[in-house]
Amino acid sequence: MDPMIGPTRVPAAVARRRVYFFSAVFVLTSLAALMMTDFLWRTGMDELKTAIVIVYTLLFSQIAYGFCQAIFGASVLLRGPDPLRITATLEGNEKVPLGRTAVVLPIYNEDASRVFEGLRSVYRSVEATGELEAFDFFVLSDSTDPNHWIEEETLWVQTCKDLGATGRVFYRKRRSNVNQKSGNIADFCRRWGDLYPYMMVLDADSVMTGSALVKLGRLMEVNPRVGIVQTAPTTVRGGSRFSRMMQFANRLYGPIFQAGQNFWQQGHGNYIGHNAIVRMEPFIQYCGLPGLPGGGPLGGKILSHDFVEAALMRKAGYAVWLACDLEGSYEHGPQTLIDYAKRDRRWCQGNMQHTWMLVARGFNAASRIHFFVGIMSYLSSLFWLLFLGLSTLSIYSHEQTGLSLIPTPGFTGFLHLTLVQHGLLLFAATMTILLLPKWLALLLAARSAETRRSFGGFPRMAGGLFYETAISTLVAPIMMLFHSKFILWILLGRGVSWAAQKRGGEGTTWREAAGT
């Protein structure tokens, strides 16, 4: 396998995969659009129904994209490990010497005790591999609260003393948190970047095993034209029912979607800003963030810097891979629905800024797809709300006429469906696309006795699937309204401020919920 996929060169095997994948997305979306058009055509088309078809097609393309990732991912996992994966290059290279790697943890008004306890765990795990000499650790603070500064520095000194890590664990407090996290990383690169070939970026709530860090280091050594290797973090330590539901979904459904992502994107992957290793030289040289035109929420400084950095790395000719099968990468998730929505509000604005990147020169098609999918992950909520509004308005308009519905056969008259049957068929097809990936994930997980035990056995795993499906069905319209509100605020010029994330289980006040 050649892990390098240049800007103008895509191996034939990868090209075929992309043809299969996007052809499947196109065919499914086209069939769904035809079914919806035929359903509405049977009672007479008008401008309102035409708008419904357009919005439905956009919405269905999103779920078809996710469905195809699950289907292709499941097909790969059923056959065994994907031969076209970045971790395959480790075979026969298990003893390659490691280059120096800086493990960096950018923090902002975090619970310092949690941060340094996580750092201790990572440090001890790396130490146990016998490869500690290749790693240095940096806590990069952007905290603005003096109480946090004092606590961070105290815990840093104590951590160095307890671990015997003086000269290997470092702490830096920036005077001004310009450009937030991306500025913090850039400051580190300017000061220490020439000392380290690689940089392992963690979040304040990230934990990685020493084995995973060592493997990532070796991946960079044996693949000199790879710029970023992104892991697929597993959500852990859920302290509330909501967070445990999200953790269950991540663990059960994640593998098939991640395998599906790797199936088509290969070396044109994406970067989520943490739990990833970065090659320092091209990152410093090519991944400086541009300023966006104009001001307000959609202009100025880029919030979601990670997608852009991955695209710039690809533009420079370096591959970006998802190590979809690398174990030992973990993160915490939001503990409440409100915390989840607040995090999404910031991500929403960042992703909407990527609209500029869709038309920027020099990016390849895969990078533009990542930008588009990220934008649609939030914009689809507004389209869903619009679809519900247009459908309601269409029904109301017909009721006002006082006329009876007299359906015609339509394009699919050979099926001899009544209008009700036609609608139910459309509903059943949509629900199959939405739910089948969950059942595929369950069946694939059930093949492994170890995985079944980790979920408490197959009955509990299946029960968890039903519970997660029921709760996510209730949460989905709430998130639709949240996302729609966020987008409208952005369009009205109301941006978001950079605030510390709540990592624990503090709960949500009524005032906080009302203000989100």
Side-chain angles (χ1 to χ4, degrees), residues 419-451:
L419 195 62
V420 172
Q421 290 171 336
H422 197 151
L424 289 174
L425 177 62
L426 192 60
F427 174 76
T430 303
M431 295 307 296
T432 298
I433 295 293
L434 287 170
L435 298 178
L436 184 58
K438 299 189 177 194
W439 288 99
L440 279 175
L442 177 69
L443 295 175
L444 280 169
R447 297 168 67 221
S448 166
E450 182 180 352
T451 303

mmCIF file of all heavy atoms in Angstrom, residues 419-451:
data_model
loop_
_atom_site.group_PDB
_atom_site.id
_atom_site.type_symbol
_atom_site.label_atom_id
_atom_site.label_comp_id
_atom_site.label_asym_id
_atom_site.label_seq_id
_atom_site.Cartn_x
_atom_site.Cartn_y
_atom_site.Cartn_z
ATOM 1 N N LEU A 419 -52.612 5.747 -2.423
ATOM 2 C CA LEU A 419 -51.811 6.895 -1.957
ATOM 3 C C LEU A 419 -51.254 6.634 -0.564
ATOM 4 O O LEU A 419 -50.107 6.983 -0.263
ATOM 5 C CB LEU A 419 -52.678 8.161 -1.964
ATOM 6 C CG LEU A 419 -51.919 9.484 -1.865
ATOM 7 C CD1 LEU A 419 -51.007 9.662 -3.064
ATOM 8 C CD2 LEU A 419 -52.887 10.654 -1.767
ATOM 9 N N VAL A 420 -52.060 5.998 0.294
ATOM 10 C CA VAL A 420 -51.595 5.677 1.651
ATOM 11 C C VAL A 420 -50.452 4.673 1.595
ATOM 12 O O VAL A 420 -49.434 4.818 2.290
ATOM 13 C CB VAL A 420 -52.755 5.137 2.504
ATOM 14 C CG1 VAL A 420 -52.238 4.625 3.844
ATOM 15 C CG2 VAL A 420 -53.811 6.212 2.727
ATOM 16 N N GLN A 421 -50.593 3.644 0.776
ATOM 17 C CA GLN A 421 -49.532 2.642 0.645
ATOM 18 C C GLN A 421 -48.250 3.260 0.095
ATOM 19 O O GLN A 421 -47.146 2.912 0.524
ATOM 20 C CB GLN A 421 -50.007 1.510 -0.269
ATOM 21 C CG GLN A 421 -51.085 0.639 0.344
ATOM 22 C CD GLN A 421 -51.683 -0.340 -0.670
ATOM 23 O OE1 GLN A 421 -51.643 -0.101 -1.886
ATOM 24 N NE2 GLN A 421 -52.237 -1.438 -0.175
ATOM 25 N N HIS A 422 -48.426 4.182 -0.844
ATOM 26 C CA HIS A 422 -47.269 4.859 -1.424
ATOM 27 C C HIS A 422 -46.523 5.667 -0.345
ATOM 28 O O HIS A 422 -45.291 5.631 -0.253
ATOM 29 C CB HIS A 422 -47.743 5.787 -2.551
ATOM 30 C CG HIS A 422 -46.652 6.210 -3.475
ATOM 31 N ND1 HIS A 422 -46.866 6.514 -4.800
ATOM 32 C CD2 HIS A 422 -45.321 6.378 -3.286
ATOM 33 C CE1 HIS A 422 -45.725 6.855 -5.370
ATOM 34 N NE2 HIS A 422 -44.782 6.789 -4.469
ATOM 35 N N GLY A 423 -47.282 6.376 0.472
ATOM 36 C CA GLY A 423 -46.670 7.148 1.558
ATOM 37 C C GLY A 423 -45.981 6.258 2.573
ATOM 38 O O GLY A 423 -44.889 6.580 3.057
ATOM 39 N N LEU A 424 -46.613 5.120 2.909
ATOM 40 C CA LEU A 424 -46.010 4.194 3.857
ATOM 41 C C LEU A 424 -44.730 3.574 3.302
ATOM 42 O O LEU A 424 -43.767 3.340 4.039
ATOM 43 C CB LEU A 424 -47.011 3.090 4.216
ATOM 44 C CG LEU A 424 -48.193 3.527 5.093
ATOM 45 C CD1 LEU A 424 -49.181 2.375 5.253
ATOM 46 C CD2 LEU A 424 -47.697 3.989 6.460
ATOM 47 N N LEU A 425 -44.719 3.305 1.980
ATOM 48 C CA LEU A 425 -43.518 2.764 1.350
ATOM 49 C C LEU A 425 -42.369 3.774 1.444
ATOM 50 O O LEU A 425 -41.222 3.412 1.756
ATOM 51 C CB LEU A 425 -43.797 2.423 -0.112
ATOM 52 C CG LEU A 425 -42.604 1.905 -0.926
ATOM 53 C CD1 LEU A 425 -42.081 0.592 -0.343
ATOM 54 C CD2 LEU A 425 -42.992 1.713 -2.394
ATOM 55 N N LEU A 426 -42.686 5.033 1.200
ATOM 56 C CA LEU A 426 -41.682 6.086 1.299
ATOM 57 C C LEU A 426 -41.157 6.208 2.727
ATOM 58 O O LEU A 426 -39.955 6.345 2.962
ATOM 59 C CB LEU A 426 -42.295 7.412 0.837
ATOM 60 C CG LEU A 426 -41.367 8.586 0.587
ATOM 61 C CD1 LEU A 426 -40.351 8.256 -0.493
ATOM 62 C CD2 LEU A 426 -42.175 9.815 0.192
ATOM 63 N N PHE A 427 -42.072 6.133 3.687
ATOM 64 C CA PHE A 427 -41.681 6.201 5.102
ATOM 65 C C PHE A 427 -40.819 5.005 5.492
ATOM 66 O O PHE A 427 -39.786 5.157 6.164
ATOM 67 C CB PHE A 427 -42.936 6.249 5.977
ATOM 68 C CG PHE A 427 -42.665 6.186 7.448
ATOM 69 C CD1 PHE A 427 -42.195 7.283 8.134
ATOM 70 C CD2 PHE A 427 -42.869 4.999 8.161
ATOM 71 C CE1 PHE A 427 -41.936 7.231 9.491
ATOM 72 C CE2 PHE A 427 -42.611 4.933 9.524
ATOM 73 C CZ PHE A 427 -42.147 6.048 10.186
ATOM 74 N N ALA A 428 -41.218 3.813 5.043
ATOM 75 C CA ALA A 428 -40.476 2.598 5.379
ATOM 76 C C ALA A 428 -39.070 2.635 4.786
ATOM 77 O O ALA A 428 -38.089 2.230 5.433
ATOM 78 C CB ALA A 428 -41.228 1.363 4.871
ATOM 79 N N ALA A 429 -38.937 3.149 3.565
ATOM 80 C CA ALA A 429 -37.621 3.233 2.933
ATOM 81 C C ALA A 429 -36.715 4.183 3.712
ATOM 82 O O ALA A 429 -35.536 3.892 3.946
ATOM 83 C CB ALA A 429 -37.765 3.697 1.485
ATOM 84 N N THR A 430 -37.279 5.319 4.133
ATOM 85 C CA THR A 430 -36.494 6.289 4.890
ATOM 86 C C THR A 430 -36.053 5.716 6.234
ATOM 87 O O THR A 430 -34.899 5.865 6.646
ATOM 88 C CB THR A 430 -37.309 7.579 5.112
ATOM 89 O OG1 THR A 430 -37.723 8.106 3.839
ATOM 90 C CG2 THR A 430 -36.492 8.623 5.846
ATOM 91 N N MET A 431 -36.962 5.039 6.935
ATOM 92 C CA MET A 431 -36.632 4.469 8.232
ATOM 93 C C MET A 431 -35.616 3.336 8.104
ATOM 94 O O MET A 431 -34.768 3.149 8.988
ATOM 95 C CB MET A 431 -37.893 3.966 8.930
ATOM 96 C CG MET A 431 -38.887 5.067 9.297
ATOM 97 S SD MET A 431 -38.134 6.414 10.252
ATOM 98 C CE MET A 431 -37.661 5.562 11.748
ATOM 99 N N THR A 432 -35.679 2.595 7.011
ATOM 100 C CA THR A 432 -34.689 1.531 6.783
ATOM 101 C C THR A 432 -33.295 2.121 6.631
ATOM 102 O O THR A 432 -32.313 1.620 7.212
ATOM 103 C CB THR A 432 -35.050 0.720 5.527
ATOM 104 O OG1 THR A 432 -36.325 0.095 5.718
ATOM 105 C CG2 THR A 432 -34.004 -0.355 5.253
ATOM 106 N N ILE A 433 -33.204 3.199 5.860
ATOM 107 C CA ILE A 433 -31.918 3.864 5.672
ATOM 108 C C ILE A 433 -31.371 4.375 7.007
ATOM 109 O O ILE A 433 -30.171 4.345 7.274
ATOM 110 C CB ILE A 433 -32.067 5.026 4.672
ATOM 111 C CG1 ILE A 433 -32.426 4.514 3.283
ATOM 112 C CG2 ILE A 433 -30.797 5.868 4.621
ATOM 113 C CD1 ILE A 433 -31.348 3.730 2.610
ATOM 114 N N LEU A 434 -32.272 4.841 7.876
ATOM 115 C CA LEU A 434 -31.852 5.384 9.159
ATOM 116 C C LEU A 434 -31.473 4.304 10.171
ATOM 117 O O LEU A 434 -30.518 4.466 10.946
ATOM 118 C CB LEU A 434 -32.966 6.255 9.750
ATOM 119 C CG LEU A 434 -33.200 7.622 9.099
ATOM 120 C CD1 LEU A 434 -34.484 8.250 9.638
ATOM 121 C CD2 LEU A 434 -32.018 8.547 9.354
ATOM 122 N N LEU A 435 -32.220 3.201 10.204
ATOM 123 C CA LEU A 435 -32.078 2.221 11.277
ATOM 124 C C LEU A 435 -31.221 1.007 10.920
ATOM 125 O O LEU A 435 -30.658 0.372 11.814
ATOM 126 C CB LEU A 435 -33.462 1.740 11.729
ATOM 127 C CG LEU A 435 -34.385 2.821 12.317
ATOM 128 C CD1 LEU A 435 -35.744 2.222 12.686
ATOM 129 C CD2 LEU A 435 -33.750 3.471 13.531
ATOM 130 N N LEU A 436 -31.137 0.661 9.645
ATOM 131 C CA LEU A 436 -30.385 -0.536 9.272
ATOM 132 C C LEU A 436 -28.928 -0.496 9.734
ATOM 133 O O LEU A 436 -28.401 -1.522 10.198
ATOM 134 C CB LEU A 436 -30.466 -0.764 7.761
ATOM 135 C CG LEU A 436 -29.800 -2.052 7.240
ATOM 136 C CD1 LEU A 436 -30.417 -3.283 7.912
ATOM 137 C CD2 LEU A 436 -29.921 -2.151 5.719
ATOM 138 N N PRO A 437 -28.232 0.657 9.628
ATOM 139 C CA PRO A 437 -26.839 0.678 10.120
ATOM 140 C C PRO A 437 -26.713 0.284 11.587
ATOM 141 O O PRO A 437 -25.719 -0.351 11.974
ATOM 142 C CB PRO A 437 -26.421 2.143 9.894
ATOM 143 C CG PRO A 437 -27.249 2.592 8.745
ATOM 144 C CD PRO A 437 -28.574 1.913 8.939
ATOM 145 N N LYS A 438 -27.708 0.622 12.415
ATOM 146 C CA LYS A 438 -27.639 0.264 13.832
ATOM 147 C C LYS A 438 -27.695 -1.253 14.011
ATOM 148 O O LYS A 438 -26.949 -1.822 14.815
ATOM 149 C CB LYS A 438 -28.767 0.935 14.599
ATOM 150 C CG LYS A 438 -28.723 2.458 14.555
ATOM 151 C CD LYS A 438 -29.737 3.072 15.500
ATOM 152 C CE LYS A 438 -29.625 4.586 15.490
ATOM 153 N NZ LYS A 438 -30.334 5.232 16.599
ATOM 154 N N TRP A 439 -28.567 -1.888 13.258
ATOM 155 C CA TRP A 439 -28.696 -3.342 13.382
ATOM 156 C C TRP A 439 -27.483 -4.050 12.785
ATOM 157 O O TRP A 439 -27.052 -5.099 13.292
ATOM 158 C CB TRP A 439 -29.987 -3.804 12.710
ATOM 159 C CG TRP A 439 -31.183 -3.407 13.506
ATOM 160 C CD1 TRP A 439 -32.005 -2.337 13.290
ATOM 161 C CD2 TRP A 439 -31.649 -4.026 14.692
ATOM 162 N NE1 TRP A 439 -32.965 -2.266 14.267
ATOM 163 C CE2 TRP A 439 -32.779 -3.292 15.141
ATOM 164 C CE3 TRP A 439 -31.234 -5.138 15.438
ATOM 165 C CZ2 TRP A 439 -33.482 -3.636 16.291
ATOM 166 C CZ3 TRP A 439 -31.937 -5.486 16.571
ATOM 167 C CH2 TRP A 439 -33.051 -4.737 16.986
ATOM 168 N N LEU A 440 -26.918 -3.495 11.727
ATOM 169 C CA LEU A 440 -25.684 -4.067 11.184
ATOM 170 C C LEU A 440 -24.562 -3.989 12.211
ATOM 171 O O LEU A 440 -23.797 -4.939 12.391
ATOM 172 C CB LEU A 440 -25.278 -3.306 9.922
ATOM 173 C CG LEU A 440 -25.975 -3.683 8.623
ATOM 174 C CD1 LEU A 440 -25.530 -2.742 7.498
ATOM 175 C CD2 LEU A 440 -25.681 -5.132 8.243
ATOM 176 N N ALA A 441 -24.472 -2.844 12.890
ATOM 177 C CA ALA A 441 -23.448 -2.674 13.921
ATOM 178 C C ALA A 441 -23.644 -3.681 15.049
ATOM 179 O O ALA A 441 -22.676 -4.252 15.565
ATOM 180 C CB ALA A 441 -23.483 -1.251 14.464
ATOM 181 N N LEU A 442 -24.903 -3.908 15.441
ATOM 182 C CA LEU A 442 -25.195 -4.874 16.502
ATOM 183 C C LEU A 442 -24.771 -6.279 16.087
ATOM 184 O O LEU A 442 -24.124 -7.001 16.869
ATOM 185 C CB LEU A 442 -26.691 -4.846 16.819
ATOM 186 C CG LEU A 442 -27.171 -5.865 17.857
ATOM 187 C CD1 LEU A 442 -26.642 -5.509 19.240
ATOM 188 C CD2 LEU A 442 -28.701 -5.933 17.869
ATOM 189 N N LEU A 443 -25.115 -6.683 14.867
ATOM 190 C CA LEU A 443 -24.789 -8.028 14.410
ATOM 191 C C LEU A 443 -23.278 -8.218 14.272
ATOM 192 O O LEU A 443 -22.749 -9.287 14.604
ATOM 193 C CB LEU A 443 -25.484 -8.298 13.072
ATOM 194 C CG LEU A 443 -27.016 -8.336 13.129
ATOM 195 C CD1 LEU A 443 -27.602 -8.496 11.738
ATOM 196 C CD2 LEU A 443 -27.490 -9.464 14.038
ATOM 197 N N LEU A 444 -22.578 -7.192 13.808
ATOM 198 C CA LEU A 444 -21.125 -7.296 13.694
ATOM 199 C C LEU A 444 -20.468 -7.381 15.074
ATOM 200 O O LEU A 444 -19.535 -8.161 15.285
ATOM 201 C CB LEU A 444 -20.576 -6.092 12.932
ATOM 202 C CG LEU A 444 -20.699 -6.148 11.406
ATOM 203 C CD1 LEU A 444 -20.378 -4.795 10.790
ATOM 204 C CD2 LEU A 444 -19.756 -7.212 10.835
ATOM 205 N N ALA A 445 -20.964 -6.578 16.006
ATOM 206 C CA ALA A 445 -20.418 -6.617 17.362
ATOM 207 C C ALA A 445 -20.685 -7.956 18.030
ATOM 208 O O ALA A 445 -19.858 -8.457 18.803
ATOM 209 C CB ALA A 445 -21.004 -5.483 18.193
ATOM 210 N N ALA A 446 -21.840 -8.547 17.731
ATOM 211 C CA ALA A 446 -22.216 -9.812 18.364
ATOM 212 C C ALA A 446 -21.335 -10.977 17.909
ATOM 213 O O ALA A 446 -21.315 -12.032 18.564
ATOM 214 C CB ALA A 446 -23.682 -10.121 18.055
ATOM 215 N N ARG A 447 -20.601 -10.808 16.821
ATOM 216 C CA ARG A 447 -19.733 -11.878 16.336
ATOM 217 C C ARG A 447 -18.550 -12.113 17.264
ATOM 218 O O ARG A 447 -17.941 -13.184 17.255
ATOM 219 C CB ARG A 447 -19.218 -11.545 14.935
ATOM 220 C CG ARG A 447 -20.316 -11.439 13.877
ATOM 221 C CD ARG A 447 -19.776 -10.817 12.594
ATOM 222 N NE ARG A 447 -18.820 -11.684 11.944
ATOM 223 C CZ ARG A 447 -17.694 -11.263 11.386
ATOM 224 N NH1 ARG A 447 -17.357 -9.996 11.449
ATOM 225 N NH2 ARG A 447 -16.881 -12.112 10.775
ATOM 226 N N SER A 448 -18.192 -11.102 18.066
ATOM 227 C CA SER A 448 -17.036 -11.203 18.951
ATOM 228 C C SER A 448 -17.492 -11.445 20.387
ATOM 229 O O SER A 448 -18.258 -10.652 20.945
ATOM 230 C CB SER A 448 -16.210 -9.919 18.879
ATOM 231 O OG SER A 448 -15.285 -9.846 19.931
ATOM 232 N N ALA A 449 -17.029 -12.543 20.980
ATOM 233 C CA ALA A 449 -17.387 -12.842 22.366
ATOM 234 C C ALA A 449 -16.864 -11.764 23.308
ATOM 235 O O ALA A 449 -17.534 -11.382 24.278
ATOM 236 C CB ALA A 449 -16.838 -14.216 22.767
ATOM 237 N N GLU A 450 -15.678 -11.238 23.005
ATOM 238 C CA GLU A 450 -15.100 -10.196 23.850
ATOM 239 C C GLU A 450 -15.944 -8.927 23.809
ATOM 240 O O GLU A 450 -16.182 -8.291 24.844
ATOM 241 C CB GLU A 450 -13.677 -9.888 23.378
ATOM 242 C CG GLU A 450 -12.969 -8.835 24.225
ATOM 243 C CD GLU A 450 -11.564 -8.541 23.734
ATOM 244 O OE1 GLU A 450 -11.084 -9.268 22.831
ATOM 245 O OE2 GLU A 450 -10.956 -7.587 24.241
ATOM 246 N N THR A 451 -16.422 -8.563 22.616
ATOM 247 C CA THR A 451 -17.261 -7.366 22.493
ATOM 248 C C THR A 451 -18.587 -7.570 23.208
ATOM 249 O O THR A 451 -19.080 -6.659 23.890
ATOM 250 C CB THR A 451 -17.508 -7.035 21.012
ATOM 251 O OG1 THR A 451 -16.252 -6.864 20.346
ATOM 252 C CG2 THR A 451 -18.330 -5.765 20.872
#
